Amino acid sequence: MAEKNGFLVRIITPDRVFFEGQAEMVEFNTTEGEIGVLPGHIPMTVIVKPGILYIHEPAGEKKAALHAGFAEILPEGVTILAETIEWPGEIDENRAKSAMERAERRLQGKAANTDLARAETALQRAVARIQVLK
């Protein structure tokens, strides 16, 4: 149930419940663009695109690198079923930079056997990891 100035946010991965708590607002990327969700939002389901997830709480803002999944948005809360999501402390910056460089080389090389969509998604994930560390 939504509180006066907040709503329930649940983020679940195949491995764990990543976050469950009250928030004033949640922001993340979808295949249709960036979205900000406030209490009382119209019901909808969206596909999550790699980027930074912002959870606005009364005590401050939390952010995480959100990579893929689906989100169910209801007036009383948001549930995100994430393929992968990481808090800044869980990210290895050197590994993320290496992944970004590999993805950029694949995209620039444009070899016939390169899966460009996969390389672009890998680049978006690596960029999200690096940005959430800043």
Side-chain angles (χ1 to χ4, degrees):
M1 176 74 74
E3 292 185 357
K4 184 177 180 183
N5 294 318
F7 59 102
L8 180 63
V9 176
R10 291 188 335 221
I11 304 167
I12 303 164
T13 72
D15 301 329
R16 63 184 170 157
V17 174
F18 179 80
F19 177 85
E20 188 165 14
Q22 293 289 315
E24 296 173 334
M25 181 176 171
V26 177
E27 298 175 82
F28 56 94
N29 291 336
T30 75
T31 55
E32 301 300 316
E34 293 181 43
I35 188 170
V37 181
L38 295 166
H41 197 286
I42 62 167
M44 61 191 303
T45 303
V46 296
I47 300 171
V48 172
K49 185 176 175 185
I52 299 175
L53 167 80
Y54 296 93
I55 303 169
H56 300 273
E57 299 177 304
E61 178 184 272
K62 291 182 180 177
K63 60 184 180 176
L66 176 58
H67 301 298
F70 298 90
E72 177 188 46
I73 301 166
L74 298 171
E76 63 274 3
V78 175
T79 300
I80 298 174
L81 302 176
E83 179 184 305
T84 307
I85 185 167
E86 301 161 295
W87 295 116
E90 298 172 331
I91 296 171
D92 179 331
E93 186 173 7
N94 291 328
R95 187 172 173 203
K97 286 180 180 178
S98 294
M100 183 175 76
E101 291 168 2
R102 278 193 310 276
E104 287 173 338
R105 280 195 306 270
R106 284 189 198 120
L107 289 169
Q108 291 170 357
K110 297 182 182 175
N113 63 344
T114 300
D115 183 341
L116 293 178
R118 186 174 174 188
E120 187 174 311
T121 300
L123 178 60
Q124 291 170 349
R125 288 177 179 193
V127 167
R129 284 181 171 121
I130 292 166
Q131 287 179 337
V132 83
L133 291 172
K134 297 188 186 299

